[in-house]
């Protein structure tokens, strides 16, 4: 990064001190871990191109498990588990892919499986993994259940293309399972929520949050990031907004809060993004200017968010924040009840 030029600066500002191009950013809600990137291809036990967009969960034994999207050297993705006692380093990575595409049985997985989100489901005593299947018709949403991240019960595709960025809520709402996802329709790429009695048959589809329009940083395309966090005030959701520019897309993160009983009702939506590509590993990669979280763990204090995110479609990074701070930030930075595309 180059320092800001000094020659034309106003005399009142000591521009020589402004070596950080983001120096006028407001205090960030999330702090990057100094060990970033925490996982990259050099760590892998077998040849790969990149590791990014991992789902995250804290296991019963206290380990953090990241179910990473791993892109092989054909360009196709599979999922591979990495476990660590502190969620930062000392990763123990499965020696072979943990969950691979099975196109013979599931033709929608012909070009790989991507971007998982894990939800712990106490009623089933299992973890649900919602992931993207890359089919001939585009991306769709598939679901698998597991107890141990070794064997998986595959449900196949549950939302047909074009659809992705899906996560299950951890318990039924009004008797039905609820899943957030991002279908692309002629109306745009918005976040929807759908309901199911059995995790196989989905209906009662409702728009949950719309991409904005015009000049907004999250105009035209948004999608859920990590599974929403259940708080006393509502479901706290981190979502990505995509800005299209002449030199490509910029993926940044926004915050929104949804009603606990009726999650399709947006209570608050932040106006500005709260985290975006700034570090070198986020600004440059196979795809530049991408931060893309698919999972988080919550600290033992019940407040700390350990947000795991893919950076530049090339490596995994960690940033920490606070549920309380996110809720306060929404109080201060939201337009009232704005779920729409104004
Ligand atoms: C999205 C998804 C992500 C990817 C991002 C940036 O559409 O495909 O997997 O990280 O684009 O390339």
């Amino acid at each position: 990064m180059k320092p800001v030029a000094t020659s034309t600066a106003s005399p009142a500002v000591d521009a020589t001190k402004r070596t950080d191009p983001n120096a006028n950013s407001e205090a960030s809600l999330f702090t990057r871990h100094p060990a970033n990137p925490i996982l990259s291809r050099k760590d892998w036990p077998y040849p790969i191109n990149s590791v990014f967009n991992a789902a995250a969960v804290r296991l019963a034994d206290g380990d953090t498990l990241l179910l990473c999207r791993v892109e092989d050297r054909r360009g196709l993705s599979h999922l591979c588990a990495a476990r660590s006692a502190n969620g930062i380093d000392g990763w123990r990575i499965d020696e072979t892919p943990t969950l691979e595409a099975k196109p013979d049985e599931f033709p929608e997985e012909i070009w790989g499986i991507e971007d998982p989100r894990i939800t712990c489901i106490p009623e089933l005593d299992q973890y649900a993994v919602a992931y993207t299947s890359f089919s001939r018709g585009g991306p769709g949403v598939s679901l698998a259940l597991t107890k141990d991240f070794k064997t998986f019960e595959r449900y196949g595709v549950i939302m047909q293309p074009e659809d992705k960025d899906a996560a299950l809520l951890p318990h039924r709402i009004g008797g039905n399972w609820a899943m957030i996802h991002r279908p692309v329709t002629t109306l745009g790429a918005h976040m929807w929520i759908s309901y199911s009695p059995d995790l196989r048959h989905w209906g009662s589809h409702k728009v949950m949050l719309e991409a904005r329009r015009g000049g907004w940083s999250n105009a035209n395309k948004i999608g859920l990031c990590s599974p929403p966090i259940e708080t006393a005030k509502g479901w706290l959701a981190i979502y990505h907004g995509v800005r299209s520019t002449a030199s490509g897309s910029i993926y940044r993160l926004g915050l929104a809060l949804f009603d606990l009983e009726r999650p399709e009702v947006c209570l608050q939506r932040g106006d500005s993004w709260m985290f975006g590509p700034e570090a070198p590993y986020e600004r440059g990669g196979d795809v530049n200017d991408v931060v893309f979280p698919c999972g988080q763990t919550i600290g033992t204090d019940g407040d700390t968010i350990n947000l795991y995110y893919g950076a530049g479609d090339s490596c995994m990074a960690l940033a920490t924040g606070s549920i309380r701070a996110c809720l306060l930030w929404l109080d201060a930075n939201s337009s009232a009840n704005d779920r729409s595309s104004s």
Side-chain angles (χ1 to χ4, degrees):
M1 302 283 171
K2 291 206 177 90
V4 173
T6 56
S7 55
T8 55
S10 140
V13 178
D14 182 356
T16 57
K17 298 228 167 83
R18 288 193 291 150
T19 52
D20 176 357
N22 303 303
N24 96 340
S25 305
E26 57 185 307
S28 181
L29 269 181
F30 283 84
T31 306
R32 289 168 178 82
H33 198 282
N36 280 348
I38 57 165
L39 279 172
S40 53
R41 76 170 163 205
K42 68 176 170 28
D43 301 308
W44 236 249
Y46 53 91
I48 64 169
N49 174 54
S50 49
V51 45
F52 54 111
N53 300 3
V57 68
R58 168 126 345 109
L59 300 172
D61 64 6
D63 276 0
T64 296
L65 179 142
L66 296 186
L67 190 60
C68 303
R69 170 177 173 187
V70 171
E71 191 181 289
D72 66 23
R73 296 191 179 198
R74 298 171 301 167
L76 308 187
S77 292
H78 60 266
L79 308 183
C80 186
R83 295 170 174 82
S84 154
N86 62 10
I88 300 163
D89 54 22
W91 295 99
R92 303 173 325 267
I93 302 168
D94 283 359
E95 295 290 323
T96 54
T98 308
L99 188 67
E100 283 190 284
K102 262 194 187 175
D104 290 346
E105 214 176 315
F106 300 98
E108 67 276 4
E109 298 180 359
I110 184 163
W111 290 322
I113 57 176
E114 308 178 347
D115 299 359
R117 274 84 169 178
I118 297 171
T119 308
C120 178
I121 314 282
E123 181 186 325
L124 303 177
D125 195 22
Q126 296 204 75
Y127 300 99
V129 184
Y131 58 94
T132 302
S133 313
F134 195 168
S135 78
R136 288 183 198 279
V141 175
S142 292
L143 183 72
L145 296 189
T146 184
K147 276 187 191 293
D148 54 9
F149 295 95
K150 291 184 178 128
T151 57
F152 295 82
E153 182 191 357
R154 294 164 98 118
Y155 280 55
V157 74
I158 53 167
M159 292 288 168
Q160 74 271 34
E162 182 177 342
D163 207 331
K164 55 164 64 172
D165 298 329
L168 207 60
L169 298 192
H171 54 76
R172 295 173 194 259
I173 309 273
N176 286 308
W177 300 106
M179 193 180 64
I180 301 169
H181 55 118
R182 205 288 304 280
V184 177
T185 72
T186 48
L187 299 176
H190 308 312
M191 280 165 59
W192 289 63
I193 188 162
S194 301
Y195 293 90
S196 169
D198 57 6
L199 296 177
R200 291 189 187 275
H201 303 92
W202 293 88
S204 300
H205 311 291
K206 295 185 173 70
V207 176
M208 194 179 182
L209 195 73
E210 290 182 21
R212 286 172 158 140
R213 289 184 295 176
W216 286 92
S217 74
N218 49 13
N220 304 320
K221 193 174 175 186
I222 60 170
L224 181 71
C225 291
S226 40
I229 300 168
E230 192 167 10
T231 77
K233 290 183 74 178
W235 297 99
L236 176 65
I238 300 171
Y239 71 98
H240 59 261
V242 185
R243 170 146 214 167
S244 290
T245 78
S247 56
S249 300
I250 307 175
Y251 280 71
R252 298 187 178 106
L253 310 183
L255 276 182
L257 189 72
F258 299 90
D259 188 78
L260 284 175
E261 306 299 326
R262 295 178 58 220
E264 56 272 15
V265 176
C266 180
L267 304 172
Q268 289 178 316
R269 177 185 201 174
D271 285 334
S272 43
W273 73 80
M274 55 82 187
F275 193 81
E278 292 181 7
Y281 48 88
E282 299 159 356
R283 298 237 43 211
D286 273 4
V287 183
N288 296 343
D289 288 320
V290 180
V291 290
F292 202 96
C294 289
Q296 75 251 320
T297 60
I298 305 299
T300 47
D301 58 4
D303 184 61
T304 302
I305 305 172
N306 301 306
L307 187 67
Y308 291 93
Y309 62 100
D313 281 12
S314 292
C315 58
M316 278 304 302
L318 167 63
T320 52
S322 143
I323 295 174
R324 207 175 134 266
C326 286
L327 293 172
L328 287 172
W329 183 88
L330 273 174
D331 285 342
N333 291 281
S334 303
S335 307
N337 298 327
D338 177 18
R339 81 159 176 58
S340 68
S341 54
S342 55

